[in-house]
Amino acid sequence: MGGVAEPGFLKGSDPRQLECQPGCAAPLRLAPSCSARAGEARAPPAAAAGAAQRAMPHFTVVPVDDQRRPDYDNLEGLSWVDYSEPGGALRQRDAYDSVSSDGHGNHKESSPFLNNSEAGKGGDYYDRNLALFEEELDIRPKVSSLLGKLVSYTNLTQGAKEHEEAESAEGSRRKVSKSPSMGTLMGVYLPCMQNIFGVILFLRLTWMVGTAGVLQSFLIVLICCCCTMLTAISMSAIATNGVVPAGGSYFMISRSLGPEFGGAVGLCFYLGTTFAGAMYILGAIEILLTYIAPQAAIFHPTGAHDTSSATLNNMRVYGTLFLMFMAVVVFVGVKYVNKFASLFLACVIISILSIYAGAIKSTFDPPAFPICMLGNRTLSRDQFDICAKTTVVDNVTVATKLTELFCPHYNVTSEHCDEYFRFNNVTEVVGIPGAASGILKDNIWSNYLEKGEILEKADHPSVDVSGHKSNLHLYVYADIATSFTVLVGIFFPSVTGIMAGSNRSGDLKDAQKSIPIGTILAIVTTSLVYFSCVVLFGACIEGVVLRDKYGDAVNKNLVVGTLSWPSPWVIVIGSFFSTCGAGLQSLTGAPRLLQAIAKDNIIPFLWVFGHGKANGEPTWALLLTAVIAELGILIASLDMVAPILSMFFLMCYLFVNLACAVQTLLRTPNWRPRFKYYHWALSFLGMSICLALMFISSWYYALVAMLIAGMIYKYIEYQGAEKEWGDGIRGLSLSAARYALLRLEEGPPHTKNWRPQLLVLLKLDEDLHVKYPRLLTFASQLKAGKGLTIVGTVIQGNFLESYGEAQAAEQTIKNMIEIEKVKGFCQVVVANKVRDGISHLIQSCGLGGMKHNTVVLGWPYGWRQSEDPRAWKTFIDTVRCTTAAHLALLVPKNVSFYPSNHERYLEGNIDVWWIVHDGGMLMLLPFLLKQHKVWRKCKMRIFTVAQMDDNSIQMKKDLATFLYHLRIEAEVEVVEMQNSDISAYTYERTLMMEQRSQMLRQMRLTKTEREREAQLVKDRHSIIRLESLYSDEEDEGEAVPEKIQMTWTKDKYDNEKQTRNNALENFRELISIKPNQSNVRRMHTAVKLNEVIVNRSHEARLVLLNMPGPPKNIDGDENYMEFLEVLTEGLERVLLVRGGGREVITIYS
């Protein structure tokens, strides 16, 4: 619009009725493109435009219709605001979202009071009610705004659905995602049914019933179904405790137990799903080559005993081809898998219904599937046609094909005949006697077989003679050794698949209602089917037929197919397609699970698998899945692959139960599942069953699976990205820490458990870098990762102003802690004075019984050269604080020369100078240091000082005995100190020390000079506070005036002259000073001890000696620093040690 505005209302000139036009992109404040109008009084066009230009040149004036909601007319002129979302779409108007603005994003009020007349004019009623919080509205949204965003939030459908949309022709013109619409039946119940029913039901359940018997089969199904039911209860609790996007069980476990457990179990679940795909493919190939098209076999047995290897090779070749075909189908488009999913499910349901129909029909019309028995042994029917030794052809008795197989020269009585064949009769037995036959009592007990053992009918008459082993292939025999545990491992995959509903939570209309109901109903349904099938198989089918895994006795028919109605082909075709469908589902789901793990970035080397095609299809993950599935196919045995995936699924279910139990017991505030029918005891029971099933089915596979999960866990812990997901393990750690801290409160630790819990006081430079990082190195060597280490520092200033600086300092220290491999915590304190901050750290660091008992303090280097006494005064104050708090103190001197963690001392000594007893700290510290690889090769020497009247020989014996009882290996030496006179050097050293102290006192600035200095500082626009330039004791003096006049007067001239005279007088006093006798004695001790120590320990790797306490009179503080300097002169690495007033080492066990 130009300079002349169209007739309309001026918006924004007064906070009355505001409306935002399309294109305004500010949800909480008016943007420049917003138009404005004033009140309800119309303004002339030119006037409106002029007003707009004068008051708000950035606003635009447009004609707007008067839009007033009739339902608000009776609310005292309440008005509303439209907020435009980015992209130009207008959000629905909200009567609660009124914001008063002056056009610059600032809230404004025309009056501090709200009366009816102003409200009637359209005053901003709600903002006036929120005036108390107006400063926070920029960073904290109003409740109305928050609720608006939450309501407009929709779950993105994650999984296969969006990939299908992306591949469709309309992918480029995708519409706004529709809200999830799947219900319990289609979204959870049927997918779970499809995933649970699988290859084991059709290929192995009859064999399991025949081998284990009805009772033990019932027990196996009961245990497995209880495991999945309890897991489903735990899963329902977790899944209804918030939104569960793609990733299903991985997401639930990782967010409940943390990234380490989540990554480990997620990968186990991925491997389980991948091996499930391999198992389904092997099942499909077994159905194809055994029951549908046996002539399609590529490899044929070269001899009677080569059938096994030929079968395995056929499985490998066809399995690889099937896998490649399925991988291509998944790669080309998931939509094909989804479209055929319902067809595959229909195949499963029809197959199961045909079993029930056949069982019912068998009661009055059993199907004709006779079995040929030689004695009580079952014969493989596919190699002959007539079940008899001879037959009549044209009134002539001739040998049958069966006789020719057992008797190569066609003479039944010949010696060349198989002995067992000669002495036993050939009979036929009904294979499917039907439910009314009473066969159930014969099948109720187990009949486990060893590998190669022939299937026998126990109650059938036979002559017990051995036959030729070369004829074994003519019988039906066990191809693997069977036991209860083996059958558990093989059957368990047939109850997996309960996660299908939680994996689709993004597609569900009400996931928190559908997941528990659908999953539990699916488990109940499938469990009833399994239980009924166990009973029906046992009641309808002959035992030897049940134990016949591949249907050799019934003419190579699928055993469960012989019972089905109307034809065995219903089961064969149905099971083939359902198995292929299950394999496709596994190859579709496994890559997406791996992609979800990779995108979480908790396992760095998997990052490449988070990428894929432009539409998000996980191409690289699919490739890896196909490679791993190929490993399963190369195993080529369904019975060998099933226990492998059982392990991985059981481990996944175990941790789902653990997650629920941990969350329930911790009672974390966020644990509020809508599903209420759970209990921690049920979760623990489920977890125990999972663990038991793992070791029951295959203990070595269980150990391998746990080893893989453990390795992944440790890898994520040490190398993975750190994630904070509010997981239960963090909560468990907090609970355990709280419990342990409360236990520690019961009393101080026993001397046997005492170890230095360090508070390391660090100094930072102006750039917030650690000044002496070797202090941390020394702490890490002393602690070796054990006990408590707190690294503290003090930032001088005001906390409100220095908060950012404190955060930066904390991050710097944390980085340094990580570099030096110190296991500990960081504490940064902001204080006006450094010594106060250090005092606060010493008093308040730690929690409960987990507090420091030792302070590590750096030596104040350069204290002699500094005119500022605060450096050494802070040091001495810290020494006094630690003494008052009964804490031990360690002062490493020349810490820059201390070894790094990468150095190794292959020889050398750690010398301990034990002058006064301090609780055994001097003995314990070298022992702890020698635990570290840097100091391990060093030898320990202990020196003690004897006076002239002491028995040094006896002292040495006693000290050696004491060390023997302490179990500390060290050389012992007693040094005798001669009672020599005080030397001239000592006297001169003391005199120099006192003269220096006096000189520094005289050099302190007078009050006038301080004022002059202050004016100079102000003139240079410096922000340095005058108080910070001088000692702490002078801080409490008078405050510096805001402005000081420097005009010279006669009085000031006289004062200046007097100052000069005083300086001359002070110099005369300095020359004539005499040293204090007490100081001379102390200096004598320091000099003599230093001579002895340097003489004996100048080549030592480290010297530890008692640190003398500071003087009670603070006037002697500076002299105390000089004594310490003299005591440690000429030593490269010194550790001054001061005990905390308690015994820290004991001779008792």
Side-chain angles (χ1 to χ4, degrees):
M1 292 170 52
V4 180
E6 294 292 327
F9 294 105
L10 179 64
K11 295 184 177 182
S13 59
D14 198 11
R16 303 292 170 83
Q17 191 171 6
L18 304 173
E19 182 171 340
C20 191
Q21 299 300 315
C24 176
L28 286 179
R29 46 177 78 161
L30 290 174
S33 60
C34 291
S35 55
R37 66 178 175 183
E40 296 181 356
R42 293 187 176 272
Q53 288 175 355
R54 286 192 304 273
M56 297 183 181
H58 59 295
F59 273 164
T60 315
V61 181
V62 295
V64 186
D65 294 332
D66 189 4
Q67 297 178 350
R68 182 70 66 93
R69 293 187 181 180
D71 52 335
Y72 287 134
D73 284 346
N74 58 347
L75 293 181
E76 296 187 349
L78 208 62
S79 58
W80 63 91
V81 181
D82 278 354
Y83 299 106
S84 296
E85 298 291 348
L90 280 175
R91 209 181 71 189
Q92 184 179 1
R93 295 181 185 176
D94 189 350
Y96 303 100
D97 281 356
S98 300
V99 175
S100 174
S101 173
D102 61 358
H104 297 278
N106 302 318
H107 302 284
K108 72 168 190 172
E109 291 180 340
S110 56
S111 168
F113 304 105
L114 178 68
N115 52 42
N116 288 347
S117 61
E118 288 176 334
K121 295 176 184 176
D124 199 345
Y125 181 86
Y126 278 91
D127 257 13
R128 294 171 189 245
N129 279 347
L130 298 177
L132 186 61
F133 302 95
E134 62 184 5
E135 293 184 1
E136 299 185 21
L137 288 178
D138 286 339
I139 56 173
R140 298 182 182 181
K142 288 188 290 184
V143 174
S144 55
S145 305
L146 175 68
L147 293 177
K149 290 178 181 177
L150 288 178
V151 168
S152 62
Y153 169 78
T154 57
N155 291 330
L156 289 178
T157 55
Q158 301 190 28
K161 193 171 179 181
E162 75 273 20
H163 300 300
E164 181 181 332
E165 290 176 357
E167 289 166 354
S168 63
E170 296 81 23
S172 58
R173 305 188 302 273
R174 189 182 302 176
K175 298 177 183 178
V176 178
S177 60
K178 298 178 182 177
S179 60
S181 59
M182 297 183 76
T184 304
L185 181 68
M186 296 301 297
V188 181
Y189 181 71
L190 292 180
C192 281
M193 291 266 289
Q194 182 182 0
N195 278 266
I196 294 172
F197 285 134
V199 64
I200 302 295
L201 170 63
F202 303 115
L203 295 185
R204 294 290 183 269
L205 188 58
T206 52
W207 172 71
M208 186 186 84
V209 173
T211 306
V214 172
L215 281 181
Q216 290 192 24
S217 298
F218 210 84
L219 181 61
I220 291 172
V221 175
L222 179 65
I223 293 173
C224 293
C225 290
C226 282
C227 175
T228 53
M229 177 60 80
L230 293 172
T231 304
I233 291 172
S234 300
M235 184 196 72
S236 298
I238 298 172
T240 58
N241 189 51
V243 180
V244 180
S249 60
Y250 159 69
F251 183 89
M252 289 189 293
I253 294 170
S254 61
R255 269 57 177 181
S256 297
L257 293 180
E260 294 89 359
F261 278 110
V265 181
L267 278 183
C268 284
F269 190 54
Y270 162 74
L271 291 173
T273 309
T274 305
F275 275 103
M279 185 190 73
Y280 290 131
I281 292 172
L282 289 174
I285 302 303
E286 183 177 312
I287 295 170
L288 176 70
L289 295 182
T290 309
Y291 309 114
I292 298 178
Q295 64 276 12
I298 300 173
F299 300 94
H300 299 282
T302 55
H305 302 285
D306 192 38
T307 54
S308 178
S309 60
T311 303
L312 293 178
N313 287 331
N314 283 320
M315 299 281 276
R316 290 183 182 114
V317 172
Y318 276 99
T320 304
L321 294 174
F322 261 56
L323 176 63
M324 291 171 61
F325 172 73
M326 289 182 177
V328 169
V329 170
V330 174
F331 177 76
V332 168
V334 182
K335 58 184 176 183
Y336 302 114
V337 179
N338 291 336
K339 285 178 180 176
F340 285 106
S342 54
L343 173 65
F344 298 141
L345 179 60
C347 291
V348 173
I349 294 172
I350 292 170
S351 300
I352 292 171
L353 290 176
S354 73
I355 294 173
Y356 285 113
I360 294 169
K361 179 179 174 293
S362 71
T363 56
F364 54 86
D365 184 18
F369 283 99
I371 313 163
C372 193
M373 306 289 295
L374 176 60
N376 65 351
R377 296 180 180 179
T378 310
L379 293 170
S380 180
R381 192 61 185 262
D382 63 325
Q383 302 185 46
F384 57 91
D385 49 356
I386 300 174
C387 183
K389 292 185 177 181
T390 60
T391 185
V392 178
V393 179
D394 297 331
N395 292 326
V396 177
T397 302
V398 295
T400 60
K401 179 72 180 293
L402 177 63
T403 305
E404 293 174 5
L405 291 172
F406 280 98
C407 300
H409 300 288
Y410 313 115
N411 188 347
V412 178
T413 60
S414 169
E415 292 298 327
H416 296 285
C417 271
D418 185 283
E419 188 180 11
Y420 190 85
F421 182 78
R422 283 192 294 120
F423 288 105
N424 286 281
N425 296 323
V426 176
T427 56
E428 273 193 342
V429 176
V430 178
I432 314 291
S437 64
I439 196 71
L440 180 62
K441 67 179 184 296
D442 296 331
N443 293 331
I444 204 160
W445 305 113
S446 63
N447 195 342
Y448 296 111
L449 302 173
E450 293 299 321
K451 185 176 181 180
E453 192 174 341
I454 298 171
L455 271 61
E456 296 178 349
K457 186 171 169 58
D459 57 350
H460 216 62
S462 67
V463 178
D464 190 15
V465 292
S466 60
H468 293 303
K469 288 185 178 180
S470 59
N471 293 325
L472 182 65
H473 67 285
L474 300 174
Y475 299 105
V476 180
Y477 60 92
D479 63 334
I480 61 169
T482 52
S483 64
F484 181 83
T485 58
V486 169
L487 295 181
V488 169
I490 291 173
F491 175 75
F492 188 79
S494 63
V495 296
T496 60
I498 61 173
M499 300 289 183
S502 62
N503 289 345
R504 295 169 177 246
S505 62
D507 302 331
L508 300 173
K509 188 188 301 180
D510 186 356
Q512 300 193 355
K513 177 183 176 184
S514 298
I515 289 176
I517 295 174
T519 306
I520 292 173
L521 280 180
I523 292 174
V524 169
T525 307
T526 53
S527 301
L528 290 175
V529 170
Y530 285 135
F531 285 130
S532 59
C533 283
V534 166
V535 175
L536 288 176
F537 293 159
C540 297
I541 305 176
E542 172 61 48
V544 288
V545 179
L546 286 174
R547 289 188 287 279
D548 182 6
K549 187 187 290 184
Y550 302 108
D552 293 323
V554 286
N555 233 354
K556 284 289 182 184
N557 275 297
L558 183 61
V559 173
V560 69
T562 60
L563 180 64
S564 63
W565 179 85
S567 167
W569 286 102
V570 175
I571 290 280
V572 172
I573 301 299
S575 60
F576 177 75
F577 280 114
S578 68
T579 307
C580 289
L584 279 172
Q585 293 283 357
S586 297
L587 290 180
T588 304
R592 280 162 182 73
L593 179 59
L594 182 61
Q595 188 180 40
I597 298 171
K599 283 186 174 179
D600 266 343
N601 197 29
I602 58 172
I603 304 176
F605 70 81
L606 289 181
W607 66 270
V608 68
F609 300 109
H611 306 290
K613 291 197 291 188
N615 60 1
E617 185 74 20
T619 311
W620 292 107
L622 176 62
L623 183 62
L624 180 66
T625 303
V627 170
I628 296 173
E630 177 63 20
L631 296 178
I633 285 169
L634 291 177
I635 295 173
S637 171
L638 186 68
D639 302 322
M640 294 292 288
V641 173
I644 296 175
L645 66 101
S646 292
M647 288 305 112
F648 291 128
F649 278 122
L650 278 167
M651 183 162 289
C652 177
Y653 295 166
L654 184 148
F655 281 102
V656 169
N657 284 300
L658 176 63
C660 181
V662 166
Q663 297 276 31
T664 307
L665 288 175
L666 289 179
R667 295 175 183 166
T668 50
N670 192 52
W671 180 246
R672 302 184 299 275
R674 290 189 178 279
F675 181 77
K676 300 298 182 186
Y677 306 102
Y678 67 93
H679 193 270
W680 64 267
L682 292 177
S683 299
F684 267 113
L685 180 61
M687 189 173 67
S688 304
I689 293 175
C690 288
L691 192 62
L693 284 175
M694 286 177 69
F695 284 93
I696 284 173
S697 57
S698 177
W699 63 268
Y700 44 89
Y701 278 159
L703 290 178
V704 170
M706 294 173 83
L707 179 65
I708 291 172
M711 289 169 61
I712 298 168
Y713 179 95
K714 297 308 288 183
Y715 177 81
I716 297 172
E717 186 178 30
Y718 287 111
Q719 298 293 331
E722 293 182 6
K723 300 283 183 184
E724 174 51 63
W725 287 331
D727 50 87
I729 291 297
R730 182 65 61 88
L732 190 63
S733 302
L734 286 172
S735 293
R738 172 183 164 276
Y739 175 77
L741 286 171
L742 289 174
R743 287 291 303 274
L744 287 175
E745 280 290 281
E746 294 174 4
H750 192 272
T751 305
K752 290 186 290 186
N753 296 326
W754 196 96
R755 67 165 61 245
Q757 317 287 8
L758 300 183
L759 169 61
V760 184
L761 297 175
L762 286 185
K763 189 174 184 181
L764 304 182
D765 58 17
E766 294 80 2
D767 299 326
L768 298 180
H769 294 147
V770 178
K771 210 164 186 180
Y772 302 110
R774 283 294 163 86
L775 276 175
L776 289 175
T777 311
F778 171 70
S780 71
Q781 293 167 5
L782 183 62
K783 299 294 290 178
K786 305 292 191 299
L788 175 71
T789 303
I790 303 173
V791 182
T793 191
V794 178
I795 302 291
Q796 192 168 5
N798 184 287
F799 178 70
L800 296 178
E801 298 169 358
S802 306
Y803 177 73
E805 191 178 352
Q807 293 292 97
E810 184 173 352
Q811 193 56 49
T812 301
I813 293 175
K814 283 182 177 177
N815 293 340
M816 189 57 68
I817 285 175
E818 191 173 342
I819 291 170
E820 295 295 339
K821 294 183 171 57
V822 177
K823 303 288 185 185
F825 310 97
C826 174
Q827 183 77 47
V828 177
V829 168
V830 180
N832 290 326
K833 298 178 184 176
V834 174
R835 65 181 182 185
D836 289 346
I838 293 176
S839 175
H840 296 158
L841 282 172
I842 291 173
Q843 293 177 66
S844 61
C845 272
L847 180 64
M850 199 66 174
K851 293 180 72 72
H852 57 277
N853 54 30
T854 306
V855 177
V856 179
L857 180 64
W859 178 261
Y861 302 100
W863 67 272
R864 282 173 172 163
Q865 290 76 28
S866 173
E867 293 183 5
D868 182 5
R870 284 182 307 166
W872 53 266
K873 285 202 171 192
T874 301
F875 175 80
I876 296 175
D877 283 340
T878 306
V879 176
R880 287 196 173 101
C881 279
T882 55
T883 306
H886 299 290
L887 302 176
L889 177 66
L890 306 180
V891 181
K893 196 163 180 282
N894 302 330
V895 74
S896 301
F897 297 112
Y898 276 52
S900 70
N901 285 327
H902 304 294
E903 295 180 46
R904 300 283 187 283
Y905 285 150
L906 300 178
E907 57 181 0
N909 298 315
I910 299 177
D911 287 356
V912 176
W913 284 85
W914 191 20
I915 299 165
V916 293
H917 181 57
D918 57 354
M921 278 285 288
L922 284 170
M923 314 291 177
L924 185 62
L925 291 175
F927 172 77
L928 294 175
L929 278 175
K930 278 169 61 67
Q931 308 303 309
H932 197 272
K933 56 191 175 184
V934 172
W935 305 92
R936 191 165 291 149
K937 301 288 185 183
C938 293
K939 293 181 179 178
M940 184 173 162
R941 298 192 302 180
I942 296 182
F943 298 89
T944 189
V945 176
Q947 302 299 323
M948 288 300 294
D949 53 349
D950 293 328
N951 187 341
S952 58
I953 298 173
Q954 187 61 39
M955 279 180 66
K956 185 172 182 179
K957 287 182 180 178
D958 294 343
L959 182 54
T961 306
F962 178 59
L963 290 176
Y964 176 78
H965 288 307
L966 286 177
R967 289 93 61 202
I968 291 177
E969 295 182 7
E971 295 179 20
V972 176
E973 195 164 338
V974 177
V975 179
E976 295 183 352
M977 297 277 288
Q978 303 294 331
N979 281 337
S980 59
D981 294 333
I982 296 172
S983 64
Y985 169 75
T986 303
Y987 192 86
E988 185 181 351
R989 190 76 186 258
T990 311
L991 181 62
M992 287 173 59
M993 175 184 75
E994 295 196 356
Q995 283 179 343
R996 180 182 177 279
S997 300
Q998 184 68 19
M999 190 185 305
L1000 283 175
R1001 274 192 215 100
Q1002 293 171 3
M1003 285 175 64
R1004 302 277 158 78
L1005 296 175
T1006 62
K1007 188 172 185 296
T1008 309
E1009 289 169 325
R1010 288 176 60 186
E1011 290 171 353
R1012 185 185 308 166
E1013 183 72 17
Q1015 184 62 40
L1016 224 96
V1017 168
K1018 284 179 176 292
D1019 289 346
R1020 290 174 184 168
H1021 303 288
S1022 172
I1023 60 169
I1024 301 172
R1025 297 286 299 167
L1026 182 65
E1027 287 85 356
S1028 68
L1029 296 174
Y1030 303 102
S1031 68
D1032 288 334
E1033 43 195 289
E1034 293 173 330
D1035 287 346
E1036 287 78 19
E1038 297 177 14
V1040 179
E1042 283 297 317
K1043 189 173 181 181
I1044 301 171
Q1045 298 293 333
M1046 297 302 293
T1047 309
W1048 283 94
T1049 62
K1050 188 175 187 306
D1051 293 339
K1052 290 191 177 182
Y1053 174 77
D1054 292 340
N1055 287 340
E1056 188 69 20
K1057 187 175 179 182
Q1058 183 64 33
T1059 303
R1060 290 199 187 100
N1061 292 336
N1062 288 343
L1064 190 60
E1065 186 66 27
N1066 291 337
F1067 181 69
R1068 291 196 186 106
E1069 287 180 13
L1070 200 63
I1071 296 174
S1072 60
I1073 196 170
K1074 290 184 178 180
N1076 183 289
Q1077 287 303 311
S1078 173
N1079 288 341
V1080 172
R1081 286 198 310 273
R1082 291 169 187 267
M1083 183 64 76
H1084 175 69
T1085 304
V1087 169
K1088 293 296 292 180
L1089 266 177
N1090 178 255
E1091 284 178 5
V1092 174
I1093 294 171
V1094 170
N1095 185 37
R1096 301 294 182 95
S1097 301
H1098 65 279
E1099 291 183 351
R1101 298 295 187 187
L1102 180 65
V1103 176
L1104 290 84
L1105 72 147
N1106 292 110
M1107 180 179 181
K1112 295 180 180 178
N1113 184 2
I1114 61 172
D1115 292 337
D1117 284 357
E1118 195 170 0
N1119 299 338
Y1120 172 70
M1121 295 299 298
E1122 189 69 33
F1123 295 146
L1124 293 181
E1125 284 283 8
V1126 172
L1127 183 62
T1128 57
E1129 227 168 28
L1131 298 173
E1132 188 178 17
R1133 282 178 289 271
V1134 185
L1135 181 63
L1136 296 170
V1137 180
R1138 188 161 171 75
R1142 62 161 293 171
E1143 293 293 327
V1144 300
I1145 197 166
T1146 177
I1147 63 174
Y1148 300 105
S1149 61

